Amino acid sequence: MPDDFVGDCVIALDVGGTAMKGALLDRELKPLRTVRRATPRRSGPDAVIAETAAVLRDLHRSAVTRELTVHGAGVVVPGVVDEENRTAVYSANLGWRDLPLAALIEDASGLPVSLGHDVRAGGAAECRLGAARGARDVWFVPVGTGISAAVFCDGRPVRAHGYAGELGHVVVEPDGEPCSCGARGCLETVASAAAIAATYSARSGRHVDGAAKVAALLARDDPDARAVWDRAVDALATAFATVTALLAPEVVVLGGGLAEAGALLLDPLRASLARRLTFQRRPELVPAALDDMAGCLGAGLAAWRTADGAMPLGSPSPERPEAAS
């Protein structure tokens, strides 16, 4: 058995609305084994909890086979998560409300569990290992079907019992489209990947199934794509200007599917944000570095923090881990 499979580890699991990503992680957060499973959300909340526990047990058996000592498990989920009370306050996608989720997973898996929020966990991983390494005032903003944010001030995450970071529900167009939250003109209705695709389809009469298609059309100088894209960029810049005035981030890390557009998004967004700022500290806008493993790595970081004690985000960081299977 290889020497690098002998030692200590934690189990990390990112439970998404569509898929689960799990891993055994060593002390440097290097993945020793990774797994991916479908999230059975259509079968109901109990089925999701059962599958979560099953994945944890599978990873635990794998650790035992590799003669690894497991020091706990970190599980991160979407929605509103109260880490202090170990509760899933609300998740529209997974059907949870005021659920003592950590205790339920512990009972089903037999493992001690650190419960966290998927975006905050991803942000912690980007701060520790990725695009925001070394920064202390950071926003991590995944832009996908929806828009959320993880907020770090002076090296500490801002949680507010799970309610902090709902950037997607900052109103950018007061008389705009209705949002699923009940308000109108939220950032998500203009600048999410889903909104960009839907707006382009409605404006052009040509259906597209994702923002990546709109980005491709933009690169070919499609006028409808340009109009939709510029509107989304302006909306993001408006929201980021508010964030900058209030919290003065050093770095804004953009993740999610929309960030895969690269310079098509980042260059005009930087320019649009700069036009809105006067005396404020201008944040560096950078793409995420950890791809879709950020939440899983953040779950592992939380598990190690529970096992070993709090580790400030500004402390020396290990090298970025390579993917493992």
Side-chain angles (χ1 to χ4, degrees):
M1 182 177 295
D3 289 343
D4 60 356
F5 281 98
V6 179
D8 299 331
C9 73
V10 293
I11 298 170
L13 183 61
D14 179 1
V15 180
T18 302
M20 300 181 180
K21 295 177 283 289
L24 297 175
L25 301 174
D26 69 10
R27 286 190 178 274
E28 285 71 46
L29 297 180
K30 177 183 177 182
L32 305 175
R33 183 196 171 201
T34 61
V35 298
R36 292 179 184 250
R37 302 272 181 86
T39 302
R41 62 172 181 155
R42 296 188 185 279
S43 299
D46 291 343
V48 175
I49 294 171
E51 183 66 8
T52 298
V55 173
L56 294 179
R57 290 194 301 267
D58 174 59
L59 286 166
H60 184 262
R61 285 192 296 269
S62 180
V64 171
T65 300
R66 289 163 167 79
E67 298 182 6
L68 293 163
T69 300
V70 176
H71 290 267
V75 177
V76 298
V77 299
V80 178
V81 181
D82 185 345
E83 287 102 329
E84 292 180 11
N85 292 313
R86 309 174 78 231
T87 300
V89 178
Y90 176 71
S91 173
N93 286 336
L94 298 179
W96 294 335
R97 186 180 288 275
D98 296 325
L99 196 66
L101 186 58
L104 291 172
I105 296 172
E106 286 176 342
D107 289 345
S109 68
L111 293 166
V113 168
S114 300
L115 181 68
H117 181 253
D118 56 352
V119 175
R120 280 194 293 278
E126 289 287 350
C127 287
R128 178 90 177 144
L129 302 165
R133 184 166 13 189
R136 294 181 59 80
D137 299 304
V138 176
W139 276 64
F140 171 56
V141 184
V143 183
T145 303
I147 301 174
S148 187
V151 184
F152 298 85
C153 290
D154 293 327
R156 297 178 179 274
V158 178
R159 298 189 178 95
H161 292 286
Y163 287 93
E166 290 292 344
L167 184 66
H169 298 287
V170 170
V171 174
V172 293
E173 294 183 350
D175 298 319
E177 296 295 321
C179 181
S180 60
C181 76
R184 299 186 72 92
C186 292
L187 181 63
E188 277 189 9
T189 69
V190 180
S192 68
I196 288 171
T199 304
Y200 178 85
S201 297
R203 179 186 177 96
S204 68
R206 301 184 297 274
H207 176 73
V208 295
D209 56 8
K213 298 287 182 65
V214 180
L217 291 164
L218 176 67
R220 297 201 295 266
D221 294 324
D222 181 295
D224 291 315
R226 169 58 62 191
V228 171
W229 198 263
D230 286 351
R231 178 177 173 233
V233 166
D234 283 347
L236 284 166
T238 296
F240 286 1
T242 300
V243 165
T244 300
L246 292 174
L247 295 171
E250 301 167 75
V251 180
V252 176
V253 179
L254 284 160
L258 198 65
E260 294 175 5
L264 280 175
L265 174 67
L266 288 170
D267 287 351
L269 181 55
R270 290 178 182 125
S272 187
L273 176 60
R275 288 194 297 271
R276 288 165 167 78
L277 301 179
T278 54
F279 67 91
Q280 298 90 348
R281 176 168 69 177
R282 296 187 180 187
E284 183 182 5
L285 303 185
V286 298
L290 301 177
D291 301 321
D292 68 348
M293 281 299 289
C296 186
L297 292 169
L301 179 59
W304 276 121
R305 285 168 62 87
T306 297
D308 292 345
M311 190 164 42
L313 293 176
S315 62
S317 302
E319 294 301 315
R320 179 181 171 186
E322 297 296 329
S325 60

PDB file of all heavy atoms in Angstrom, residues 198-227:
ATOM      1  N   ALA A 198     -32.933  32.967 -20.594  1.00  0.00           N
ATOM      2  CA  ALA A 198     -34.361  33.217 -20.791  1.00  0.00           C
ATOM      3  C   ALA A 198     -34.601  34.568 -21.466  1.00  0.00           C
ATOM      4  O   ALA A 198     -35.464  34.691 -22.351  1.00  0.00           O
ATOM      5  CB  ALA A 198     -35.086  33.159 -19.451  1.00  0.00           C
ATOM      6  N   THR A 199     -33.850  35.585 -21.072  1.00  0.00           N
ATOM      7  CA  THR A 199     -34.025  36.914 -21.660  1.00  0.00           C
ATOM      8  C   THR A 199     -33.627  36.923 -23.129  1.00  0.00           C
ATOM      9  O   THR A 199     -34.306  37.529 -23.975  1.00  0.00           O
ATOM     10  CB  THR A 199     -33.209  37.958 -20.877  1.00  0.00           C
ATOM     11  OG1 THR A 199     -33.589  37.929 -19.502  1.00  0.00           O
ATOM     12  CG2 THR A 199     -33.435  39.351 -21.422  1.00  0.00           C
ATOM     13  N   TYR A 200     -32.532  36.244 -23.446  1.00  0.00           N
ATOM     14  CA  TYR A 200     -32.120  36.170 -24.845  1.00  0.00           C
ATOM     15  C   TYR A 200     -33.175  35.452 -25.681  1.00  0.00           C
ATOM     16  O   TYR A 200     -33.526  35.906 -26.783  1.00  0.00           O
ATOM     17  CB  TYR A 200     -30.781  35.454 -24.987  1.00  0.00           C
ATOM     18  CG  TYR A 200     -30.365  35.340 -26.437  1.00  0.00           C
ATOM     19  CD1 TYR A 200     -29.693  36.379 -27.058  1.00  0.00           C
ATOM     20  CD2 TYR A 200     -30.697  34.217 -27.192  1.00  0.00           C
ATOM     21  CE1 TYR A 200     -29.346  36.310 -28.403  1.00  0.00           C
ATOM     22  CE2 TYR A 200     -30.355  34.129 -28.535  1.00  0.00           C
ATOM     23  CZ  TYR A 200     -29.687  35.179 -29.141  1.00  0.00           C
ATOM     24  OH  TYR A 200     -29.367  35.100 -30.470  1.00  0.00           O
ATOM     25  N   SER A 201     -33.696  34.331 -25.166  1.00  0.00           N
ATOM     26  CA  SER A 201     -34.699  33.572 -25.916  1.00  0.00           C
ATOM     27  C   SER A 201     -35.932  34.426 -26.185  1.00  0.00           C
ATOM     28  O   SER A 201     -36.481  34.420 -27.298  1.00  0.00           O
ATOM     29  CB  SER A 201     -35.074  32.306 -25.144  1.00  0.00           C
ATOM     30  OG  SER A 201     -33.962  31.444 -24.999  1.00  0.00           O
ATOM     31  N   ALA A 202     -36.367  35.182 -25.159  1.00  0.00           N
ATOM     32  CA  ALA A 202     -37.555  36.017 -25.318  1.00  0.00           C
ATOM     33  C   ALA A 202     -37.298  37.177 -26.275  1.00  0.00           C
ATOM     34  O   ALA A 202     -38.151  37.533 -27.095  1.00  0.00           O
ATOM     35  CB  ALA A 202     -37.999  36.543 -23.957  1.00  0.00           C
ATOM     36  N   ARG A 203     -36.122  37.783 -26.194  1.00  0.00           N
ATOM     37  CA  ARG A 203     -35.818  38.960 -27.013  1.00  0.00           C
ATOM     38  C   ARG A 203     -35.614  38.588 -28.480  1.00  0.00           C
ATOM     39  O   ARG A 203     -36.086  39.292 -29.386  1.00  0.00           O
ATOM     40  CB  ARG A 203     -34.552  39.634 -26.472  1.00  0.00           C
ATOM     41  CG  ARG A 203     -34.109  40.855 -27.260  1.00  0.00           C
ATOM     42  CD  ARG A 203     -32.767  41.367 -26.759  1.00  0.00           C
ATOM     43  NE  ARG A 203     -32.305  42.484 -27.565  1.00  0.00           N
ATOM     44  CZ  ARG A 203     -32.479  43.769 -27.260  1.00  0.00           C
ATOM     45  NH1 ARG A 203     -33.109  44.092 -26.150  1.00  0.00           N
ATOM     46  NH2 ARG A 203     -32.014  44.722 -28.053  1.00  0.00           N
ATOM     47  N   SER A 204     -34.929  37.482 -28.728  1.00  0.00           N
ATOM     48  CA  SER A 204     -34.543  37.127 -30.096  1.00  0.00           C
ATOM     49  C   SER A 204     -35.543  36.215 -30.790  1.00  0.00           C
ATOM     50  O   SER A 204     -35.550  36.118 -32.016  1.00  0.00           O
ATOM     51  CB  SER A 204     -33.181  36.436 -30.080  1.00  0.00           C
ATOM     52  OG  SER A 204     -33.287  35.157 -29.456  1.00  0.00           O
ATOM     53  N   GLY A 205     -36.367  35.516 -29.978  1.00  0.00           N
ATOM     54  CA  GLY A 205     -37.249  34.516 -30.557  1.00  0.00           C
ATOM     55  C   GLY A 205     -36.538  33.219 -30.895  1.00  0.00           C
ATOM     56  O   GLY A 205     -37.121  32.313 -31.492  1.00  0.00           O
ATOM     57  N   ARG A 206     -35.275  33.119 -30.501  1.00  0.00           N
ATOM     58  CA  ARG A 206     -34.480  31.904 -30.737  1.00  0.00           C
ATOM     59  C   ARG A 206     -34.102  31.299 -29.399  1.00  0.00           C
ATOM     60  O   ARG A 206     -33.404  31.932 -28.591  1.00  0.00           O
ATOM     61  CB  ARG A 206     -33.223  32.232 -31.560  1.00  0.00           C
ATOM     62  CG  ARG A 206     -33.519  32.855 -32.903  1.00  0.00           C
ATOM     63  CD  ARG A 206     -32.237  33.058 -33.722  1.00  0.00           C
ATOM     64  NE  ARG A 206     -31.304  33.976 -33.085  1.00  0.00           N
ATOM     65  CZ  ARG A 206     -31.347  35.292 -33.225  1.00  0.00           C
ATOM     66  NH1 ARG A 206     -32.318  35.871 -33.927  1.00  0.00           N
ATOM     67  NH2 ARG A 206     -30.443  36.055 -32.644  1.00  0.00           N
ATOM     68  N   HIS A 207     -34.538  30.079 -29.150  1.00  0.00           N
ATOM     69  CA  HIS A 207     -34.317  29.454 -27.842  1.00  0.00           C
ATOM     70  C   HIS A 207     -32.848  29.072 -27.658  1.00  0.00           C
ATOM     71  O   HIS A 207     -32.222  28.509 -28.545  1.00  0.00           O
ATOM     72  CB  HIS A 207     -35.181  28.197 -27.693  1.00  0.00           C
ATOM     73  CG  HIS A 207     -34.926  27.469 -26.404  1.00  0.00           C
ATOM     74  ND1 HIS A 207     -35.364  27.936 -25.184  1.00  0.00           N
ATOM     75  CD2 HIS A 207     -34.251  26.303 -26.152  1.00  0.00           C
ATOM     76  CE1 HIS A 207     -34.991  27.098 -24.243  1.00  0.00           C
ATOM     77  NE2 HIS A 207     -34.314  26.098 -24.796  1.00  0.00           N
ATOM     78  N   VAL A 208     -32.306  29.402 -26.498  1.00  0.00           N
ATOM     79  CA  VAL A 208     -30.993  28.901 -26.078  1.00  0.00           C
ATOM     80  C   VAL A 208     -31.164  28.242 -24.721  1.00  0.00           C
ATOM     81  O   VAL A 208     -32.021  28.640 -23.925  1.00  0.00           O
ATOM     82  CB  VAL A 208     -29.929  30.018 -25.994  1.00  0.00           C
ATOM     83  CG1 VAL A 208     -29.647  30.605 -27.361  1.00  0.00           C
ATOM     84  CG2 VAL A 208     -30.358  31.125 -25.026  1.00  0.00           C
ATOM     85  N   ASP A 209     -30.359  27.223 -24.450  1.00  0.00           N
ATOM     86  CA  ASP A 209     -30.536  26.470 -23.218  1.00  0.00           C
ATOM     87  C   ASP A 209     -29.503  26.788 -22.150  1.00  0.00           C
ATOM     88  O   ASP A 209     -29.347  26.043 -21.176  1.00  0.00           O
ATOM     89  CB  ASP A 209     -30.557  24.962 -23.498  1.00  0.00           C
ATOM     90  CG  ASP A 209     -29.305  24.488 -24.223  1.00  0.00           C
ATOM     91  OD1 ASP A 209     -28.357  25.300 -24.368  1.00  0.00           O
ATOM     92  OD2 ASP A 209     -29.280  23.309 -24.641  1.00  0.00           O
ATOM     93  N   GLY A 210     -28.790  27.883 -22.302  1.00  0.00           N
ATOM     94  CA  GLY A 210     -27.834  28.257 -21.270  1.00  0.00           C
ATOM     95  C   GLY A 210     -27.113  29.541 -21.610  1.00  0.00           C
ATOM     96  O   GLY A 210     -27.056  29.970 -22.779  1.00  0.00           O
ATOM     97  N   ALA A 211     -26.515  30.166 -20.582  1.00  0.00           N
ATOM     98  CA  ALA A 211     -25.786  31.413 -20.788  1.00  0.00           C
ATOM     99  C   ALA A 211     -24.542  31.209 -21.646  1.00  0.00           C
ATOM    100  O   ALA A 211     -24.090  32.144 -22.317  1.00  0.00           O
ATOM    101  CB  ALA A 211     -25.408  32.019 -19.445  1.00  0.00           C
ATOM    102  N   ALA A 212     -23.985  30.002 -21.634  1.00  0.00           N
ATOM    103  CA  ALA A 212     -22.802  29.744 -22.463  1.00  0.00           C
ATOM    104  C   ALA A 212     -23.121  29.938 -23.941  1.00  0.00           C
ATOM    105  O   ALA A 212     -22.272  30.427 -24.717  1.00  0.00           O
ATOM    106  CB  ALA A 212     -22.289  28.328 -22.215  1.00  0.00           C
ATOM    107  N   LYS A 213     -24.336  29.596 -24.336  1.00  0.00           N
ATOM    108  CA  LYS A 213     -24.730  29.807 -25.738  1.00  0.00           C
ATOM    109  C   LYS A 213     -24.820  31.300 -26.050  1.00  0.00           C
ATOM    110  O   LYS A 213     -24.456  31.737 -27.148  1.00  0.00           O
ATOM    111  CB  LYS A 213     -26.070  29.124 -26.005  1.00  0.00           C
ATOM    112  CG  LYS A 213     -26.060  27.619 -25.831  1.00  0.00           C
ATOM    113  CD  LYS A 213     -25.317  26.948 -26.958  1.00  0.00           C
ATOM    114  CE  LYS A 213     -25.341  25.428 -26.806  1.00  0.00           C
ATOM    115  NZ  LYS A 213     -26.675  24.857 -26.924  1.00  0.00           N
ATOM    116  N   VAL A 214     -25.310  32.074 -25.080  1.00  0.00           N
ATOM    117  CA  VAL A 214     -25.380  33.525 -25.287  1.00  0.00           C
ATOM    118  C   VAL A 214     -23.973  34.105 -25.396  1.00  0.00           C
ATOM    119  O   VAL A 214     -23.706  34.971 -26.238  1.00  0.00           O
ATOM    120  CB  VAL A 214     -26.173  34.197 -24.151  1.00  0.00           C
ATOM    121  CG1 VAL A 214     -26.241  35.713 -24.363  1.00  0.00           C
ATOM    122  CG2 VAL A 214     -27.576  33.614 -24.054  1.00  0.00           C
ATOM    123  N   ALA A 215     -23.051  33.610 -24.559  1.00  0.00           N
ATOM    124  CA  ALA A 215     -21.661  34.076 -24.639  1.00  0.00           C
ATOM    125  C   ALA A 215     -21.055  33.754 -25.998  1.00  0.00           C
ATOM    126  O   ALA A 215     -20.327  34.573 -26.578  1.00  0.00           O
ATOM    127  CB  ALA A 215     -20.837  33.440 -23.522  1.00  0.00           C
ATOM    128  N   ALA A 216     -21.355  32.564 -26.521  1.00  0.00           N
ATOM    129  CA  ALA A 216     -20.838  32.190 -27.843  1.00  0.00           C
ATOM    130  C   ALA A 216     -21.391  33.102 -28.930  1.00  0.00           C
ATOM    131  O   ALA A 216     -20.670  33.509 -29.853  1.00  0.00           O
ATOM    132  CB  ALA A 216     -21.173  30.735 -28.133  1.00  0.00           C
ATOM    133  N   LEU A 217     -22.680  33.448 -28.827  1.00  0.00           N
ATOM    134  CA  LEU A 217     -23.288  34.354 -29.794  1.00  0.00           C
ATOM    135  C   LEU A 217     -22.719  35.760 -29.659  1.00  0.00           C
ATOM    136  O   LEU A 217     -22.546  36.480 -30.652  1.00  0.00           O
ATOM    137  CB  LEU A 217     -24.804  34.368 -29.602  1.00  0.00           C
ATOM    138  CG  LEU A 217     -25.520  33.070 -30.000  1.00  0.00           C
ATOM    139  CD1 LEU A 217     -26.931  33.040 -29.417  1.00  0.00           C
ATOM    140  CD2 LEU A 217     -25.570  32.940 -31.522  1.00  0.00           C
ATOM    141  N   LEU A 218     -22.418  36.158 -28.430  1.00  0.00           N
ATOM    142  CA  LEU A 218     -21.795  37.463 -28.189  1.00  0.00           C
ATOM    143  C   LEU A 218     -20.451  37.551 -28.905  1.00  0.00           C
ATOM    144  O   LEU A 218     -20.123  38.581 -29.506  1.00  0.00           O
ATOM    145  CB  LEU A 218     -21.612  37.666 -26.685  1.00  0.00           C
ATOM    146  CG  LEU A 218     -20.892  38.931 -26.221  1.00  0.00           C
ATOM    147  CD1 LEU A 218     -21.733  40.157 -26.528  1.00  0.00           C
ATOM    148  CD2 LEU A 218     -20.599  38.854 -24.723  1.00  0.00           C
ATOM    149  N   ALA A 219     -19.695  36.468 -28.836  1.00  0.00           N
ATOM    150  CA  ALA A 219     -18.389  36.446 -29.493  1.00  0.00           C
ATOM    151  C   ALA A 219     -18.507  36.560 -31.007  1.00  0.00           C
ATOM    152  O   ALA A 219     -17.543  36.944 -31.677  1.00  0.00           O
ATOM    153  CB  ALA A 219     -17.642  35.170 -29.114  1.00  0.00           C
ATOM    154  N   ARG A 220     -19.720  36.259 -31.541  1.00  0.00           N
ATOM    155  CA  ARG A 220     -19.964  36.384 -32.982  1.00  0.00           C
ATOM    156  C   ARG A 220     -20.729  37.666 -33.313  1.00  0.00           C
ATOM    157  O   ARG A 220     -21.317  37.786 -34.388  1.00  0.00           O
ATOM    158  CB  ARG A 220     -20.738  35.162 -33.489  1.00  0.00           C
ATOM    159  CG  ARG A 220     -19.961  33.864 -33.323  1.00  0.00           C
ATOM    160  CD  ARG A 220     -20.481  32.773 -34.260  1.00  0.00           C
ATOM    161  NE  ARG A 220     -21.834  32.357 -33.958  1.00  0.00           N
ATOM    162  CZ  ARG A 220     -22.157  31.323 -33.187  1.00  0.00           C
ATOM    163  NH1 ARG A 220     -21.192  30.618 -32.595  1.00  0.00           N
ATOM    164  NH2 ARG A 220     -23.414  30.988 -32.981  1.00  0.00           N
ATOM    165  N   ASP A 221     -20.740  38.612 -32.356  1.00  0.00           N
ATOM    166  CA  ASP A 221     -21.340  39.941 -32.556  1.00  0.00           C
ATOM    167  C   ASP A 221     -22.845  39.896 -32.789  1.00  0.00           C
ATOM    168  O   ASP A 221     -23.397  40.745 -33.508  1.00  0.00           O
ATOM    169  CB  ASP A 221     -20.661  40.674 -33.717  1.00  0.00           C
ATOM    170  CG  ASP A 221     -19.205  41.003 -33.423  1.00  0.00           C
ATOM    171  OD1 ASP A 221     -18.907  41.318 -32.254  1.00  0.00           O
ATOM    172  OD2 ASP A 221     -18.373  40.921 -34.342  1.00  0.00           O
ATOM    173  N   ASP A 222     -23.524  38.938 -32.153  1.00  0.00           N
ATOM    174  CA  ASP A 222     -24.984  38.897 -32.211  1.00  0.00           C
ATOM    175  C   ASP A 222     -25.534  40.095 -31.433  1.00  0.00           C
ATOM    176  O   ASP A 222     -25.227  40.256 -30.249  1.00  0.00           O
ATOM    177  CB  ASP A 222     -25.474  37.584 -31.601  1.00  0.00           C
ATOM    178  CG  ASP A 222     -26.985  37.435 -31.650  1.00  0.00           C
ATOM    179  OD1 ASP A 222     -27.682  38.234 -30.989  1.00  0.00           O
ATOM    180  OD2 ASP A 222     -27.469  36.510 -32.323  1.00  0.00           O
ATOM    181  N   PRO A 223     -26.345  40.980 -32.057  1.00  0.00           N
ATOM    182  CA  PRO A 223     -26.802  42.198 -31.365  1.00  0.00           C
ATOM    183  C   PRO A 223     -27.716  41.901 -30.172  1.00  0.00           C
ATOM    184  O   PRO A 223     -27.682  42.638 -29.171  1.00  0.00           O
ATOM    185  CB  PRO A 223     -27.535  42.975 -32.457  1.00  0.00           C
ATOM    186  CG  PRO A 223     -27.903  41.959 -33.486  1.00  0.00           C
ATOM    187  CD  PRO A 223     -26.818  40.932 -33.458  1.00  0.00           C
ATOM    188  N   ASP A 224     -28.552  40.868 -30.252  1.00  0.00           N
ATOM    189  CA  ASP A 224     -29.407  40.524 -29.120  1.00  0.00           C
ATOM    190  C   ASP A 224     -28.569  40.006 -27.953  1.00  0.00           C
ATOM    191  O   ASP A 224     -28.826  40.340 -26.788  1.00  0.00           O
ATOM    192  CB  ASP A 224     -30.451  39.480 -29.528  1.00  0.00           C
ATOM    193  CG  ASP A 224     -31.487  40.038 -30.489  1.00  0.00           C
ATOM    194  OD1 ASP A 224     -31.985  41.154 -30.238  1.00  0.00           O
ATOM    195  OD2 ASP A 224     -31.787  39.367 -31.488  1.00  0.00           O
ATOM    196  N   ALA A 225     -27.576  39.198 -28.269  1.00  0.00           N
ATOM    197  CA  ALA A 225     -26.679  38.715 -27.219  1.00  0.00           C
ATOM    198  C   ALA A 225     -25.964  39.879 -26.556  1.00  0.00           C
ATOM    199  O   ALA A 225     -25.807  39.924 -25.330  1.00  0.00           O
ATOM    200  CB  ALA A 225     -25.680  37.714 -27.794  1.00  0.00           C
ATOM    201  N   ARG A 226     -25.519  40.860 -27.346  1.00  0.00           N
ATOM    202  CA  ARG A 226     -24.847  42.030 -26.788  1.00  0.00           C
ATOM    203  C   ARG A 226     -25.749  42.800 -25.848  1.00  0.00           C
ATOM    204  O   ARG A 226     -25.332  43.189 -24.747  1.00  0.00           O
ATOM    205  CB  ARG A 226     -24.371  42.933 -27.941  1.00  0.00           C
ATOM    206  CG  ARG A 226     -23.874  44.316 -27.509  1.00  0.00           C
ATOM    207  CD  ARG A 226     -22.724  44.250 -26.531  1.00  0.00           C
ATOM    208  NE  ARG A 226     -21.565  43.589 -27.116  1.00  0.00           N
ATOM    209  CZ  ARG A 226     -20.505  43.206 -26.403  1.00  0.00           C
ATOM    210  NH1 ARG A 226     -20.474  43.387 -25.087  1.00  0.00           N
ATOM    211  NH2 ARG A 226     -19.478  42.608 -27.009  1.00  0.00           N
ATOM    212  N   ALA A 227     -27.000  43.008 -26.223  1.00  0.00           N
ATOM    213  CA  ALA A 227     -27.925  43.768 -25.381  1.00  0.00           C
ATOM    214  C   ALA A 227     -28.190  43.043 -24.062  1.00  0.00           C
ATOM    215  O   ALA A 227     -28.185  43.660 -22.987  1.00  0.00           O
ATOM    216  CB  ALA A 227     -29.232  44.011 -26.131  1.00  0.00           C
TER     217      ALA A 227
END
